[in-house]
Every structure is written in structure tokens, then in C-alpha cells.
Amino acid sequence: MPPRHSPPEALLTTLSATRGRSDRLTHTEHLPARPARYAPWPDWIRPEVVASAQAMGVRQPWAHQAEAMNLAKSGQSVVIATGTASGKSLGYLGPVLSDLLVGTEARNGRGATALYLAPTKALAADQRRRAAELAPPRVRAALYDGDTPPEEREWVRQYASYVLTNPDMLHRGILPAHARWSSFLKTLRYVVVDECHGYRGVFGSHVAQVLRRLRRICARYGSSPVFLLASATTADPAVTAQRLTGLPAEAVTEDGSPRGPMVFGLWEPPLTENVGEHGAPVRRTATAEAAHLLTDLVERETRTVVFVRSRRAAELVALQTQDQLPRPLADRVAAYRGGYLADERRALERSLHSGRLLGLASTSALELGVDISGLDAVLMAGYPGTRASLWQQAGRAGREAQGALAVLIARDDPLDTYLVHHPEALFATPVEATVLDPDNPHVLAPHLCAAAAELPLTDPDLELFGPSAAPLLPVLERRGLLRRRGDAWYWTRRERAADAVDLRGSGGSPVQIVEAPTGRLLGTVDASAAHTTVHTGAVHLHQGRSYLVRDFDLDSSVALVELADPPYTTSARDITSISVLSTDTTVDWGEGRLSFGSVEVVNQVVGYLRKRISTGEIMGESKLDLPPRTLRTRAVWWSVTEDQLLDADIPPDQLPGAAHAAEHASIGLLPLFATCDRWDIGGVSVPLHPDTGLPTVFVYDGHPGGAGFAERGFQRAVRWLTATREAIAACECERGCPSCVQSPKCGNGNDPLDKAAAVRLLDVLLAGAPAAAEETGRDREAAQDGPDGRHGRDGQAGPDERDGRDGRVAPTHVPDPTEAAQAAAEAADGAEAAARAVEREAGRTTDRPTDGSGPGAS
């Protein structure tokens, strides 16, 4: 048995050579070490901060840290976009704590204040600890989040100089009560936005508007804070930062931190003797493979984190690893995910930080900057959605310049299969830019209401909120949400306007998961995922225990569960229909057409499958009676003609399976070209769609008003659909499998599917496509993207944790004021209904985007 802290390459060799795994390692990448580049401490950094840093072993800052400090001191907003473990925290804490220390000399003890925003509670708690290590106690740092007891909140408002919170609390707790925060806001010197690459898609668009509201309120109290942002490595971080804050920002991207050598393995689980839906071959699951590898690593006392894609997977990996280890070691393995109660999360974070835990199966919650130093290895059970996220997760190992091992374990999924056999797509391609659109009327309308409730809106404010703001105001007035008096717009309702905004796009209040016999609250699940994950009869995992959902009460948003040990998991079945509301742009591809525009998607969960845990075999199906949910969003779609079908030798009986298979594979490959995950997007394929009059395949964003993902697919359609065709054709299966055309979230049970016909269908479509150099939106992208022009994840992540990237795509179409106002009507309805918690016209969302055939396709 190799000793603890074996060299990474030796460790990977051992893992692949044992238990008959020699054929599972498809590629090994060796990343060299990088030496440190230092800079002197800026002379204006307070000596207390320098002394504390030096006591912690930081004799000098790295070059990028010093650069960020000096930019911040000059009053310039800055984004630090360097690798994991590159000390971004010190880059912003140096100027923040120095100014706060100066502020402690004021009469009230806080002549300067700072606000820190993190996407997760765990990260905020970790940053509070770091601030306490660097600054004397007279800098009063305090957490302000949903776990803060009411009696402590008043103290934070009155006395804290460094408040650490999240966008949700800023939006719901601070801005609506800004008068009570006036003494804090009037001296606000800095706003730190940590892990800002996590603010992408609809969530990022909402946060961008929250930050604009914050800037407006600060101006009311005479302050103009400098924004300090920290990000994983992304393309064009300055553009992203400006889109997020509305302010120009300088980017610090030259990483001066040392990095130890890393060995990065790409790993494909083997095919099993089991068969899945319709007899398709099935690979061993990435979670099962991760559990076996984690077992071997823990036995070697190799400190390891496994990143998984869902809460359930985190529980399963931890449980399976514990079952394979002897008792003392089994107790040193745990799961970590969202939905746990605060005390459970804090205990796990302490155990991980102290080293008591050797193995942890985590959702993307630990991808962010929580200090988990000392890790030897990282396993990723499935591609995390973007290259930026991949490197963020891999970088959690090998801190302090030690060598590290990272292994990407492919899921039975088209994109994962493509990547482990095309390593150049990971190692020879720059990270993506990020996608967000704060001008989305569905996002902007309720924030205008919230802003008007905070302070009456005036014409000068509209420039702050963007060009879509002015045409929205008359619509909101007609809806009775705003009223104009003189030169200002006022909120007219008794309800809190901020409560009408769902920042994370969860589609309503979280559903509480309650243990029926005891009444104990186990956790929560987003409303958007509830229909598919906690419906009556669903299997729910929590802390390694299995529960069966006995009743799902829609009215009270409660799922009652009981302990159970069923030999199966559950998977929801649903049906989806789609209609075209408006077409923004159409491009002729020979006889075919590629279009982009607005659509309405109606989705209904109608049943669920029971699948045997050990094999994935379908044991049975049960029906459900749940209401449909409606989503108005943006989509890209392509159509072909009857003559093209004749040329492709696709008779009418093969067309539904061909289109359905092409739809599934295109959804699976879009994350390679847009900052999304397949759970962020959905699709529908129709042999004859009533709105186009032709066989049509749609791919749509899973958020009201869109999130920019379908638009990115439209702009990159030639490369996207070419990669889709290659992925299907290269798969070794005969009739279609999860690695090419089957989807884990297909509402039609992956029926019908025709792999060979899908290749022919894509061939005839691509034959008429424009040359890649002339691809739609190419020039616009070249100005934003990295060297290859690619983007490449958030939104509505189904049952998974959101790990999120954010950013902005230059729109291919800018709505005129009338069109924007019409689109805003649904957003205004959503705001009003959210405040009343009764009706949501356009605010209603599907449970999750689905893959499946539309009417007539089955």
C-alpha cells in the first residue's frame, strides 16, 4: 500500500492498476508547477494587518494581491480573476481592513464600513473567520444571514463595521429597511462581491439589479463605495464585473501565487452487463465509480473531496463509501450539500477544516472559497458544466504548492463522453466568458418595483437600471403596481415589493421536508424542483437515510416523509408542449432554417419510474396528478423540409425518433458552448409543429424571460450542432444509449429514439449551414470571448446544487420599447403575484427544463 501523500502520478497509477481498472483512464495531463512572484506590502496597508498576515506565514503578498490592493486604494473598482487558492481574499481584505481600522478611530467606532457578499452562507462564515485573523477585535465583523438570531441583527445594524451577508439578505433585509441601516450605509467604503463568477444566468441578472439598487441607496446617504470582486479564472472578467455592478472595473489576471504540480486524469467507467431503457447498454454510474475510488483513497489516508452534481448523489457516494470501509475509517467520510440545517453544515465545515474528515462527497457548495486546505485529491463525478468550474473544483487540491491529483469521472452522458475522449476541449481551450442579462424585462420589472418602494423612482434613476427601464414603467403603472406623482414613481401596494422578487429563480417558496411521525424539519427543496423530487412516492435521501414521500401538499408547500428502505430510486415522467410567441431572427440554412425568439412552454409531471438501485432496471411506473406549469422564455429552434427528409432517407415513421435523438444530444452538448448545464435548458422535438409547419427541434432556457443560453446556441449553432453530430456518430453503441442520445430527464422515457436517423438528419441540416467563419454573431463574440470565442452553467438546476457562472451575451436582437413593454407585462404580473402569493402569470416556471417530444412526437 503506497504511503500517505504518495506523488500524484503514483497515486493515479495505483488507482488505475487495481480492481481491473486499467482501461478506464482515457487521458493523463501533467500540469507543471508555477513559482511564486512577490511584491512588497503597500506602505498604506495598516501595520496591524501586515503583522497579522506575517504571523500567519504571509511574509510578502503575491504580485497580484499587491496590484489589487493598490487599485482599490485609488478608488478603482477591481475584479481579481486568478486561480483557486491564489489568495484573492487577502487582495481585498488588505484595503478593506486597513480602512476599517482607520474608521475605528472615529467617535462612533465606525467611521468606515464595508459589505461582503457571498453566494453561500458557508463562504461568508469562512470569510468572517479570515477577517478576524487579520484584524484586531475593534474591527467588528459580523454575519448577517438567515441563521442570524433576531436579537443579534439589531447589534449588527448599529455596531458592525464589516457585515458579511449574501445577495438574498441584501435584497430582502437591508435595502427595504435602509433607513435602519443609514449609519452603516452613509460610511460604506467598500462592497466585496466574492466568487462573482457564480452570478450567472437569471440569478446573476437579479444580483446585478440588486447591486444597482444598493448603489442608488448609497447615493441617497452620500456614499459611493468601491466594488472589489473576486472570481475564478474566466474570459473577460472586467466585462463581467461591469455588467454585474454597472461600473467600470480593472481586471487583475496575472496570477502570482505558486502552484504545485498537478496530475489530471480523465476516467470513463466501464460498460456493465445491465441494460437500461429499451435495452440500451449502461455504464457504471459516475457516483458508484467515485465511491470506489474514494474508498481506495481514504484507505490510503489521502484527503479527498468528491464533487457530485446533485444532493442525492452526495448522499449516495458518502453512504456507499462508508459501507466499503471499516468502522474507524467509515466515520471519517461524510456528505455535504445544501438543504442541511445550519448546525449540520457548520459541524461538517469544522470537521473538514480540522482534518478529522478524510473523505467528503459534496455538491458545488464547496466549490467556492470555503477553506479546505490540505487536500491531496479531488474527484469530480461528472463534468461540472463549464471549464471554469472544472478548474475551480480541481484547484481545491494541492494548496500551499503541494502536488495534487484531480480526476474527472465521466457520467453516462453525451458531453462527458465527448470530453474524456477529446481532452483538447478541456486542456487546450480557454475558460468561458459568463452569461447574464440584467435588462431581461422579467428580471428588471420587479426590481423597479422594489426600488420604487425603497425610494420613489425618478428619471435620473432610469439610466442606472438600463435602457429597458423606461418602457417598463408605463406597463407597471397600468398593472396598478406603480403610480406617477409629479416627477417620481411610487410603489402602490401594502405588500413588500422585495418579496415579489425570486433572486434564485426557484419559482416560489421552498418546500419544507418534514418527517411525518415526529414533525421534525429535515430540510428544504426549491419550489422549481419539488414536482420532480418530492412528489408523492418519491425516494428522498438525507444524511445517508432513505425516506419515502407519503404526501406532497402543494398548498402548504410541505412534503411529509417517513423512514423507508426501498430497493429503488425514483425518476419523474412529464409531458411538454411548446408554442412560438415571436421570432426575433431567422437564418436560412439552405432549405432549412435556424431561428431564435420567444416561446411558451407548458410542462406537467404525470408520473414517475421506480428504478432498481443496483442495476438501474425499471421496476414499474406510477401516475401522478400534478398541475401543469407554464414558462415564457427564449429558445433556439431549427426546422427542415420534406425534401431534406427525403434526401436524408428518413421516412415518416423514423422522423419522431430522429428528431428526438438529435434534440437530446444537442441539449447534452450545448454546455460546451454556453455557460450552462443541461438542467438549465430544455427541449422539445415535433415532427410537424403548428407554428413552423415543419419538423422542428427546440432548445429553450429554463427561466422566465430567458437566461442567454439559447441565444448562445443560436450564435454558435454551426459548431454546436457539428459537435452534436460527431458525438452521436462516435458512440460505440448500436441503437442509442445514455452516452449519446438518451437523456436522464426525458419526459417521454427516451422513446422514440433513432440514433442512425439522427445522424442523417443533422447531416442534411448542416449541409446547408453557413461556414463557421460566417456564423451568426461571430463578430460580436470575438469581442467578448477568449481566443476560441467560446463560452461554456446556472439557472434552474433541478435537484442539483447551483454552482453558477455569470456573464453577458451581446443580444442578437434588441426589442423596441413596445415589444419590451409587452414582455414586461408578464414580468409585472409575476411581481404582483409574488407579493400576494396567489397568482403568477409569467412568473410561473416549469419544474425543470425537460427533454422530450412535443405533441404528436410519441
Side-chain angles (χ1 to χ4, degrees), residues 397-419:
R399 289 175 175 248
E400 301 174 1
Q402 68 192 45
L405 171 66
V407 180
L408 171 63
I409 306 167
R411 292 174 300 160
D412 212 353
D413 172 90
L415 180 55
D416 286 40
T417 302
Y418 181 87
L419 290 174

Side-chain angles (χ1 to χ4, degrees), residues 11-29:
L11 193 57
L12 182 61
T13 300
T14 300
L15 291 175
S16 61
T18 57
R19 306 197 192 199
R21 300 179 182 138
S22 58
D23 59 344
R24 303 181 195 180
L25 187 63
T26 63
H27 178 79
T28 303
E29 190 80 10

Side-chain angles (χ1 to χ4, degrees), residues 586-589 591-595 637-640 692 694 765:
T586 295
V587 179
D588 290 332
W589 279 24
E591 295 182 24
R593 290 179 185 169
L594 179 78
S595 301
W637 62 92
W638 51 268
S639 305
V640 294
T692 65
L694 295 169
L765 174 71

